């Protein structure tokens, strides 16, 4: 579709969540037309500093996937996981403690988006960070969502994505137990569970309202449409395939 990831990320423009900016462009190499590419921000410590005021790029813990270090230390995050493995969040005191370690609102937004998108690659494509300060809390960056919106299955809208993202015994890929652990633990807490359901319903009626989403799809489609003949000719593509993929997005 040449727009899947940018479409989904763009739907979150008004959310308090770190995400990549997007602009399509024509690429030429040595004067030869090379097609339509996306200009996107590179997710690194400079990205984090640019998107978060008063954050020092050289004083952060920055992790990805299953506690893989990109910058700083894994110690704080591993300590948080150990706490969650030993303690139930049904206890309000434990939930209050977790709120000191991670931005629960930010994580909730991140999960709602991934579930709505039916992004079945969300378990591996995660990046998260915290300022290395006494009160620094973990926040999540949303990126690489383009498995969602029916990339590999035009009937993916029938999937129970909530069940997928809360599966305790998923396969090693794409939803291993570690990738659903945090959400499963948080849903133990009645306050979080109620807020999660209400927030999701709110977004289904606003951010993800069908008219709003289809309006975004149509706007991006109209922006790309005049440029697609060159792209299709350059790479010997099937023009009907592009139209079909956009139709899948609309469905």
């Amino acid at each position: 579709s040449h727009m899947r990831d940018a479409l989904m990320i763009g739907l979150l423009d008004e959310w308090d969540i770190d995400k990549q900016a997007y602009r399509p462009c024509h690429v030429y190499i040595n004067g030869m037309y090379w097609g339509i590419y996306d200009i996107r921000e590179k997710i690194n410590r400079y990205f984090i500093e640019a998107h978060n005021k008063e954050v020092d790029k050289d004083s952060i813990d920055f992790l990805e996937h299953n506690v893989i270090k990109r910058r700083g230390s894994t110690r704080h995050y591993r300590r948080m996981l150990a706490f969650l493995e030993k303690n139930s969040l049904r206890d309000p005191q434990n939930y209050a403690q977790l709120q000191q370690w991670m931005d629960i609102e930010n994580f909730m937004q991140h999960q709602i988006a991934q579930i709505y998108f039916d992004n079945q690659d969300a378990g591996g494509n995660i990046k998260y960070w915290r300022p290395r300060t006494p009160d620094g809390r973990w926040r999540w960056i949303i990126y690489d969502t383009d498995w969602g919106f029916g990339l590999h299955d035009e009937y993916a809208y029938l999937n129970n994505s909530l069940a997928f993202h809360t599966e305790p015994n998923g396969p090693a890929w794409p939803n291993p137990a570690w990738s659903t652990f945090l959400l499963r633990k948080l849903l133990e807490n009645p306050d979080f569970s109620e807020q999660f359901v209400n927030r999701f319903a709110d977004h289904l009626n606003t951010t993800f309202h069908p008219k709003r989403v289809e309006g975004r799809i149509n706007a991006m489609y109209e922006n790309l449409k005049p440029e697609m003949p060159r792209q299709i000719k350059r790479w010997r593509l099937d023009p009907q395939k592009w139209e079909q993929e956009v139709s899948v997005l609309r469905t």
Side-chain angles (χ1 to χ4, degrees), residues 214-224:
E214 189 165 13
R216 289 293 186 100
I217 293 169
N218 291 339
M220 296 179 78
Y221 170 82
E222 293 297 334
N223 188 46
L224 291 173

Side-chain angles (χ1 to χ4, degrees), residues 28-182:
Y28 292 82
I29 298 180
N30 293 332
M32 180 182 293
Y33 178 71
W34 216 255
I36 299 172
Y37 276 62
D38 292 350
I39 300 174
R40 307 300 295 270
E41 292 172 283
K42 185 176 180 65
I43 299 176
N44 53 25
R45 60 196 175 109
Y46 299 95
F47 169 92
I48 292 171
E49 184 180 69
H51 282 256
N52 297 272
K53 295 179 180 179
E54 300 179 2
V55 170
D56 180 354
K57 68 182 186 304
D58 296 318
S59 185
I60 58 173
D61 293 329
F62 180 25
L63 312 180
E64 65 182 4
H65 198 63
N66 189 13
V67 201
I68 296 174
K69 183 177 73 172
R70 288 283 303 276
R71 191 85 183 175
S73 168
T74 66
R75 190 177 302 111
H76 186 281
Y77 193 80
R78 291 186 185 279
R79 188 166 65 244
M80 183 178 77
L81 290 180
F83 174 84
L84 289 172
E85 287 167 356
K86 296 176 182 177
N87 297 280
S88 172
L89 293 184
R90 293 184 180 90
D91 184 332
Q93 290 186 334
N94 292 336
Y95 185 61
Q97 177 61 71
L98 184 64
Q99 288 176 309
Q100 302 300 311
W101 292 337
M102 65 179 278
D103 186 335
I104 290 176
E105 173 74 15
N106 172 264
F107 180 78
M108 181 189 298
Q109 298 277 59
H110 184 273
Q111 293 296 296
I112 287 172
Q114 299 283 22
I115 291 167
Y116 169 76
F117 298 154
D118 186 42
N119 180 19
Q120 297 196 18
D121 202 21
N125 288 332
I126 54 173
K127 297 181 189 291
Y128 41 107
W129 65 278
R130 65 178 285 272
R132 298 195 76 180
T133 59
D135 59 351
R137 298 189 299 166
W138 290 99
R139 287 177 56 88
W140 278 257
I141 301 168
I142 193 160
Y143 79 108
D144 199 358
T145 63
D146 56 7
W147 187 295
F149 265 64
L151 175 65
H152 298 293
D153 178 7
E154 63 178 307
Y155 300 107
Y157 60 85
L158 297 173
N159 292 341
N160 186 337
S161 190
L162 177 60
F164 180 93
H165 283 270
T166 54
E167 171 58 55
N169 297 303
W173 187 89
N175 59 335
W178 67 262
S179 70
T180 64
F181 176 69
L182 269 181

